Every structure is written in structure tokens, then in C-alpha cells.
Amino acid sequence: MVTLGISVQLDDRTWEVGERLGGGGFGEVYVGASPEGEQIALKFIRKEPAADRELLINEQVSGLPNVLPTIGFGETDDQWVIGMPIAETSLEQRLQLAGDALAVNEAVRILLDIARGLAALEEGVVHRDLKPANVLSYQDSWHIADFGIARYADASTGSQTWKEARSRDYAAPELWRSKHATNRTDIYSFGVIAYQLLAGRLPFVGESEPELQQLHLYETPGKLDDVDPSLASLVASCLLKPQESRPTAGEVLDALQSIAPPTSELSAMMQALNRDAQHNAATLAAAAERQRDDEQRRQDLLESAHQRMARIVDLLVDKIQRDLPLATLERSAESVTVALEGSTLVLEPVHDAKSVDWGNRQPDYDVIAYSSVAVRSAHVGTGRYYVGYDKSLWFCDAVSSDQFHWHLLEFRDTSTTIFSGPVVKPSAQPPGARAGNAIARRIQPGWIVSASPRPIYPGKEEEAVDRWLADFVQACQGMLQEP
């Protein structure tokens, strides 16, 4: 909280705090007036961990081309204070006043000023929050301001760098992922601003933050068909998803300075072809980015499947070793075989379901891995007799979308009746066309799922293990009942 009318010392000058100009999560800005009647902007920043970094960065960048200068630094008991010139307007206010795309000449002049500022910052500082509200008009040119979440270009991201702080409409894909930001992160934000100036709208508009995140991560904005093709190509290159594919600030500045209207019909055709090729390349890059993310997500889920199965195996082995030490026990990290007097309990290893061929019968949920659990009795009889079951274990999101657990599935073949010999019911099925048909119930008679998938929730693994062990005990006693 800032008290109006108090005096603040900045270096060797005193300023009286006047009306509030604005502010947000990282500081409040007030008018500061000198005894001589001069006015500046005073930014007050709470003294929180790493908050003084903004002072250090402002001191470093003050005086760089097209970066808003600082007038002085000071502090109160609980806040740091930075003095700055009062801007004439912000780019955000200019866009609100225009209500539509700016004239190309004005847009390019603004973009040139921003690019000069980014090029000056390129070797030292990553802004990380470039947006129209932080681009200010001062002395008839546009300046980059507000380094509240900026950091030094060669610094690694620490615990107090506000990784999650971002202006979502202008945030690069790497910020959505809370990954390391570089100067090309600012280039993406520059690309969003450029698109907005030239099209009169943002490249991505989502009704919710998750929807907007998906757009920034994987979608390509519409082509700027009514813009000079070479300028449109430059904007598209700034909006590429992989940050290493974007141009540097220096390259953007050079390109803006060299953009010229086509000199002939052939020149216009070639520039338009280049623009379209750039758009197609961006679309392919976005698709590749989605594929990489999907593959990483799947790999993470597969690792979870292995870890969760190892937990189940540990529980099963512990109970056997403690309560049934005479049983023969063979185990690996995620599979186990228990045998006693001819009866068995077998938990199969985990298999990756990535290359499964479902045919045209893939279920409406995602299967990451699979295994099975089987119980067999040593009981031998005449005629038709029941000896046990095989149950499928699938690591999937069958019950709740995007909630992956191991699930028990029970399959049964309804096409034949066995009149004699041993009976195994239900039977396990790996993911594939037969299992897909059974789930879809599109072929009758045939294989069906005789029970809905039953999830084994985290913390509930012991319940599943106890059910299997109870069946194994009954199998050993010759008492296992056909379901």
C-alpha cells in the first residue's frame, strides 16, 4: 500500500507521491512530483524474494535504444522504488483507439521501434512479458518497459523467477510449458503483437486458458493475405512453435528495414509464394510439435504404468512371503508367478500398447500398456470342469477421460460352448481387433466384455491383490467356483 503525499528519495532528488497511474501483480505506479513541478512515474515494488532483480535489470538496460529509461532508484521500509518518465500513451491504448488494424506504415514504424529495443536487449536480458501494455510511446518513439519478470539472458530459471507469470495472449509455447525462456521467447510475443497490429485481431483467441494453451502450442494462425507478403512471412516466422526456429531480434530488425513493396508482377508472385511456403512450414512445425508432445506424454504414462505395476507386484510378493512361505515364488520387477501343489497365480509382465493394431474397432479411450492376471487350479475331473480364469489388465482411461489407471477387463467367447474338458472363464485379451470388437459388441455371437472395466485406483492396489490371493487359495483347495 502506498500513501499519497509521502516523499520518496530517488538518488539525490526528492519526489512527492501523487495520483495512481496503474499497476498489477508486480508493482503499482504513481505520479511523482518534484518541488520544481517536474513530474515522473514512480513504480513501487514489494520487497519480496528476488524483487530487487527488477532494479538491477532496469539499471542495466536504461539508456539502450527504444527501452524506457530510468530516472533513479530508491526505497521505503517495505518497497523498492523506480523512477521513470511518464509515457504519452501505451500501444494497448493505441490499439483500443484504432479498434482495427493499423495502417501498414504506422504498424511497421511501431514494429521497427520494438525490434530495435529487442535487438539492444538481445545479449543481456529476456523480457518474458512483452505485450502492448508494456510498449510505451515516449518522445515520439515506442519503448519497451516493465521488466517485472525479466531475467538475464544467461541465467537459469530459479525458484523465485515467477515462471507461471505470463500474459496469456502473448505467451510463447515454452512459457505455457514453464520451460526455459530465451530472447526468442520475446520474438514470439513480438510476432503476436505484429499480427495484431496488421490484422486488427489476435492470432489466437480461446474461450478458456486451456483452449488458448492448445492454440499457442499446436495451431498455426491464419495467413495475413492482405499484408505485404514479405512482411507476412516475417511475422509467420516469429510465430513458429520451436523457439530455435524463430529469427533473432537482429534478424527481425534487418528484415523490417529491408522490406520493400514488390517491384514487378513477378516479384509480387515470388513474395506471395514465399509467404505461402512460410505458412505451410509453420503448419508442419506445429504438427511436429504436437506429435513430440503426444509422444512424450505417452512415454510418461507408460512409465507410470510400470511404476504402478511394480507397486502391485511388491504387495503380492510381500503377502506371499509373509503368509504362504511354502509357495514357490518367481518374480521380476513387474511380473510374478506363485505356485503351490499344482495351482498357480501368474501376473504377466507389462507390454507397451503403442503398436497395437485395432483394425477399425479402437475403443473411445486410450490404452497405454497391458498385462494379465491368471489363476489356475490343479483340480482335474471328468467331463466339463472349471480350472480358473485369465483377466486382462489394461493401463488406460476407460472410466474417466485422461485419468489413467490399471483396469481389469473380463472377456468371454459366446460363439461356442465347451461340453467337456477344462474351462477357463473369463479369458484375457490383449488390445487389438478382437478386443475392440468385443468392446464395441458389433459381432454377435463372438467375443464380448463380460464386465465393465474396473479401475485399480492408487492406494487401492491391496484390494485387488487380496482378491487374486483369495482366488488362489480357493484354487489350491479345489474350491474355485466358476463365475
Side-chain angles (χ1 to χ4, degrees):
M1 190 71 180
V2 178
T3 303
L4 301 184
I6 65 169
S7 294
V8 175
Q9 187 81 16
L10 300 186
D11 299 337
D12 58 350
R13 298 191 65 182
T14 301
W15 305 85
E16 182 179 307
V17 178
E19 65 175 315
R20 183 179 183 274
L21 294 175
F26 299 104
E28 301 290 330
V29 182
Y30 292 80
V31 171
S34 72
E36 297 78 24
E38 182 182 356
Q39 289 191 333
I40 63 170
L42 298 173
K43 182 174 183 179
F44 290 81
I45 306 162
R46 293 186 299 275
K47 288 183 176 179
E48 296 178 347
D52 60 339
R53 179 189 54 194
E54 185 174 353
L55 277 72
L56 299 174
I57 289 178
N58 271 275
E59 185 175 19
Q60 175 182 330
V61 304
S62 183
L64 293 177
N66 295 95
V67 175
L68 194 69
T70 54
I71 293 172
F73 302 93
E75 62 179 302
T76 66
D77 290 341
D78 57 356
Q79 296 185 91
W80 304 108
V81 187
I82 303 175
M84 302 167 291
I86 295 179
E88 295 139 16
T89 189
S90 71
L91 184 54
E92 181 179 54
Q93 292 168 326
R94 177 68 189 94
L95 286 167
Q96 290 172 348
L97 181 64
D100 201 350
L102 301 183
V104 173
N105 288 343
E106 181 184 2
V108 170
R109 183 174 66 84
I110 294 170
L111 293 175
L112 274 167
D113 284 346
I114 301 173
R116 289 188 187 100
L118 290 176
L121 295 171
E122 193 162 35
E123 297 303 319
V125 172
V126 182
H127 190 284
R128 296 201 296 177
D129 195 26
L130 188 64
K131 58 185 177 182
N134 290 338
V135 177
L136 306 179
S137 176
Y138 170 64
Q139 294 184 344
D140 295 324
S141 62
W142 294 91
H143 293 68
I144 298 171
D146 197 346
F147 291 81
I149 62 170
R151 67 161 178 76
Y152 296 110
D154 58 353
S156 60
T157 302
S159 60
Q160 295 293 339
T161 54
W162 298 295
K163 282 175 65 174
E164 296 303 326
R166 57 173 175 259
S167 298
R168 63 182 196 170
D169 288 327
Y170 302 88
E174 55 270 21
L175 291 182
W176 286 101
R177 295 187 175 97
S178 295
K179 300 294 186 182
H180 183 73
T182 70
N183 297 101
R184 299 193 194 197
T185 302
D186 293 337
I187 291 298
Y188 184 92
S189 302
F190 173 89
V192 176
I193 293 172
Y195 192 100
Q196 187 176 11
L197 297 183
L198 296 165
R201 65 184 186 279
L202 289 163
F204 303 114
V205 178
E207 295 183 0
S208 65
E209 184 156 322
E211 180 184 353
L212 190 59
Q213 179 180 19
Q214 294 299 302
L215 292 171
H216 277 284
L217 289 178
Y218 306 122
E219 297 302 322
T220 305
K223 288 190 290 187
L224 294 168
D225 289 322
D226 298 328
V227 174
D228 179 274
S230 56
L231 179 57
S233 294
L234 176 63
V235 175
S237 69
C238 293
L239 291 172
L240 289 171
K241 307 305 182 184
Q243 56 176 313
E244 62 273 11
S245 301
R246 301 171 205 146
T248 66
E251 290 167 345
V252 170
L253 180 58
D254 289 344
L256 283 170
Q257 290 173 331
S258 63
I259 285 175
T263 57
S264 66
E265 183 177 351
L266 176 60
S267 175
M269 291 174 60
M270 292 173 65
Q271 288 188 18
L273 179 62
N274 187 73
R275 176 201 61 203
D276 292 344
Q278 177 68 66
H279 178 78
N280 293 338
T283 302
L284 290 174
E289 196 78 359
R290 178 185 289 275
Q291 182 177 354
R292 279 195 297 270
D293 278 3
D294 287 346
E295 289 175 353
Q296 183 60 56
R297 170 182 175 272
R298 199 181 187 290
Q299 190 60 40
D300 291 343
L301 287 169
L302 180 61
E303 180 61 28
S304 295
H306 284 288
Q307 292 174 358
R308 299 268 289 274
M309 183 58 75
R311 165 67 176 160
I312 291 172
V313 170
D314 286 342
L315 282 170
L316 181 57
V317 170
D318 287 347
K319 287 175 177 290
I320 291 293
Q321 291 177 334
R322 184 188 65 207
D323 298 329
L324 201 59
L326 288 180
T328 301
L329 181 65
E330 297 178 6
R331 70 159 294 176
S332 68
E334 54 192 29
S335 65
V336 61
T337 298
V338 182
L340 183 65
E341 297 181 348
S343 295
T344 57
L345 186 160
V346 179
L347 189 59
E348 289 290 336
V350 174
H351 301 280
D352 188 350
K354 180 178 181 179
S355 301
V356 165
D357 181 8
W358 291 97
N360 61 351
R361 293 291 187 263
Q362 184 166 357
D364 58 0
Y365 49 83
D366 193 7
V367 183
I368 302 297
Y370 62 97
S371 175
S372 65
V373 59
V375 173
R376 291 286 188 278
S377 172
H379 172 76
V380 176
T382 59
R384 185 179 187 276
Y385 55 93
Y386 182 68
V387 295
Y389 61 75
D390 295 340
K391 295 183 181 180
S392 294
L393 285 165
W394 289 5
F395 192 78
C396 60
D397 57 345
V399 172
S400 181
S401 179
D402 288 331
Q403 295 293 317
F404 285 83
H405 306 291
W406 280 108
H407 290 70
L408 277 165
L409 293 90
E410 301 178 5
F411 292 90
R412 182 161 55 93
D413 186 2
T414 63
S415 61
T416 59
T417 302
I418 302 176
F419 294 98
S420 62
V423 175
V424 176
K425 185 191 297 183
S427 297
Q429 289 294 324
R434 177 185 287 176
N437 282 331
I439 293 167
R441 295 177 180 267
R442 292 178 181 172
I443 298 178
Q444 295 291 344
W447 285 89
I448 64 169
V449 176
S450 57
S452 298
R454 298 193 303 277
I456 303 174
Y457 292 112
K460 300 291 186 180
E461 295 95 344
E462 190 169 6
E463 295 178 7
V465 169
D466 284 346
R467 285 196 299 270
W468 303 337
L469 286 173
D471 292 339
F472 176 64
V473 169
Q474 289 183 339
C476 292
Q477 297 170 339
M479 299 173 58
L480 188 62
Q481 298 295 311
E482 179 179 347

